[in-house]
Amino acid sequence: MARRPRNHGSDPVRGRPVSIQDVASHASVSITTVSRVINSPGLVSPATAERVRESIRELGYRPNVFARGLMTRQSRVIGILLPDIHGEFYSELLRGADAEAKRSGYHLLISSDVQPDGEGTATIPYGFLDGLAVMVTEPSHKSWDEATQLGMPVCLLDEKTSDGTVDSVVIDNGPGTREATEHLLAHTPASRCVFVGGTRENFDAQERARVFNETLEGAGHEVRASQTSFGEFTADWGGEWASGAIADGSLRGSAVFAGNDEIAFGVMMAASEAGLSPRRDYQLIGFDDTRLCTLVRPMLSSVRVPLRELGAAAVELLVRRLEDPEARPEQRLLRTTLVERETSG
Amino acid sequence: MARRPRNHGSDPVRGRPVSIQDVASHASVSITTVSRVINSPGLVSPATAERVRESIRELGYRPNVFARGLMTRQSRVIGILLPDIHGEFYSELLRGADAEAKRSGYHLLISSDVQPDGEGTATIPYGFLDGLAVMVTEPSHKSWDEATQLGMPVCLLDEKTSDGTVDSVVIDNGPGTREATEHLLAHTPASRCVFVGGTRENFDAQERARVFNETLEGAGHEVRASQTSFGEFTADWGGEWASGAIADGSLRGSAVFAGNDEIAFGVMMAASEAGLSPRRDYQLIGFDDTRLCTLVRPMLSSVRVPLRELGAAAVELLVRRLEDPEARPEQRLLRTTLVERETSG
DNA sequence: ATGAAAGCGCTAACAA
DNA sequence: TTGTTAGCGCTTTCAT
């Protein structure tokens, strides 16, 4: 396997990329001056600067990022590590993160937590990163340990157990969950309200279930264990749960609060096959307010989670820390709110 | 803003990362030997090698990727540039690409084509990449020019206009489209078959429409212009189209071939609100065979596009070229096939 | 306002 | 088998 030269970019002499020295020679200045034109334009006389810029253009010069990184110890690349990059949830989060990164002049390197099936070794190229935003949704995820051990600036996404020594941005499930539960209680007796959650270990799933229970109890109802169930964050699980509820006749007249939109969608599809329609025959509210809600008919009521902001805020905090390593760690809380549509009320 | 030292990794002397020299001193060898145990273990005596590895472990040494990149001109990072990273289509493609990259010991840097709304400047950090996989879906996309001008190894995704001088992997819409159209023709007269495509400029949309028409003509039918329409690759467009077809009474008894699954989903939702069910009242087939198909009830018939393979193959070709720059450019064709489910037949 | 020179941490001839 | 040394292309004192 041939090594050097693997030249990218146009070359003056065949086989070698344009270097700062080439530009310097071409403009009859020292490489220092070229460097200054790029990094501290104020220190160079306008005339010289223009001449150098002309040479840069003419030669198609692009600074070598490795050499630069070697000196500055910066890459202007930040990483974002998520449990998964699939689905509306993460896509939306990524959009926010990417937009914010661009806005601040950084590049975003996306990676997912999932282990490679095979024997491959490459994980995140930590060495290239200035900082890392990490999302941890379950205690078993090792990303968190790995990341902090790295000795690199880190920002946590949706991590409640943060001890305040590190930047983080978390979803406050409370308000939205409470709002939704109260909304259901307005049309359905507390004893007929159920929560169909996602993975039991998931932090958000737990908090949502907890607030659901609290709200029911706040309404003077003693919650039965059977009123909350856990499974997965999938439509399949929602469908499976619904099949059971349909079979024992408990779905009709009940109010279903799903752990996320996919679960709600699964419930709705299964119920629909059994001839049951939301709002008419039962109440249904999802969670996350993903695109799925407005895609499906009737449109799904859901608790809005500001996913875009979640991603954007994480990057924002990270960039802030990069620019000012001594800044006080910040924990940013993102509110959730109920969005009423056609499956409830 | 403080510059150096922005040290990542543990430090022997406060404020400086562990360097190869530190390891060398600690193990009482030269830096060359350390370099060799990392890159060519065969050239070092087992005893020394073990001692060096011990030092590396003890000091927590991680090679500086910038210094290494400066010498090797490689980063083992490849980029993938897509029109969008949102939705089932791209997610699935990315999964394939990521898995393959990991398998080959490369990192994947994901970026989307979409311009930043704001004034931010950062695009792809080309300088860090060994190569780039680019997906071009419309002639207006400038990514292609940009990429090839870069003088960096490139692999094209789903680009038909390739001139054979560059690696590419393309979806062969033909077989699946033909199969689906024939399937529709088995239950519906050709005059009642319609194609509801996505963006008119999109290469795939065009090819799918073309093969649809050809197949109808092959069946001895003269296709009317009104039998193909274009809009967007969204459920909204599908719903909009369906509303029209419902209003003028043309949906019942017809066969709808949608340009992608989202469009099909939109048609189905709109029809369902009007009391029309697929298979019973009309035929419906989507395209791409995304997760949406099995999420919705009844489950959507669709043309399967091997998205995972698409991503994986692109990375595979790119890696091959990286290892062997002289390899003959390859164009890999990916077959599409009909998947019959509950909305057709 | 400009330049000379010293590295940044690493790899790879070339010696020994 | 191991070490010496010369860069890779850039930024940054320190002179001028």
Side-chain angles (χ1 to χ4, degrees), chain A residues 190-201:
Chain A
S191 62
R192 300 301 311 281
C193 293
V194 293
F195 179 81
V196 184
T199 320
R200 186 184 294 278
E201 292 71 29

Side-chain angles (χ1 to χ4, degrees), chain B residues 329-341:
Chain B
E330 180 177 343
Q331 168 156 343
R332 196 168 296 184
L333 220 58
L334 262 34
R335 267 187 74 91
T336 51
T337 53
L338 174 64
V339 180
E340 294 183 41
R341 293 209 180 82

Side-chain angles (χ1 to χ4, degrees), chain B residues 141-171:
Chain B
H141 286 174
K142 60 183 203 340
S143 335
W144 161 234
D145 282 345
E146 231 180 69
T148 45
Q149 249 60 327
L150 237 47
M152 149 189 322
V154 161
C155 178
L156 262 35
L157 275 136
D158 202 24
E159 160 65 89
K160 273 84 181 185
T161 61
S162 154
D163 53 5
T165 70
V166 57
D167 294 303
S168 66
V169 29
V170 325
I171 297 170

Side-chain angles (χ1 to χ4, degrees), chain A residues 3-4 64-67 69-71 121 125 127-128, chain B residues 20 31 34-40 56 61-76 105 107 128 130:
Chain A
R3 305 302 285 256
R4 273 208 256 128
N64 181 310
V65 294
F66 298 113
L70 192 51
M71 281 304 294
T121 74
F128 285 115
Chain B
I20 196 172
I31 60 170
V34 178
S35 176
R36 280 201 272 252
V37 320
I38 295 172
N39 301 304
S40 333
I56 289 180
Y61 168 68
R62 317 243 303 169
N64 182 309
V65 294
F66 299 111
R68 175 178 284 179
L70 192 51
M71 281 303 294
T72 64
R73 291 173 179 288
Q74 288 184 239
S75 62
R76 300 200 74 82
H107 305 292
F128 285 115
D130 286 350

Side-chain angles (χ1 to χ4, degrees), chain B residues 17-41:
Chain B
V18 181
S19 79
I20 196 172
Q21 179 59 66
D22 298 324
V23 176
S25 306
H26 187 273
S28 312
V29 294
S30 76
I31 60 170
T32 311
T33 300
V34 178
S35 176
R36 280 201 272 252
V37 320
I38 295 172
N39 301 304
S40 333

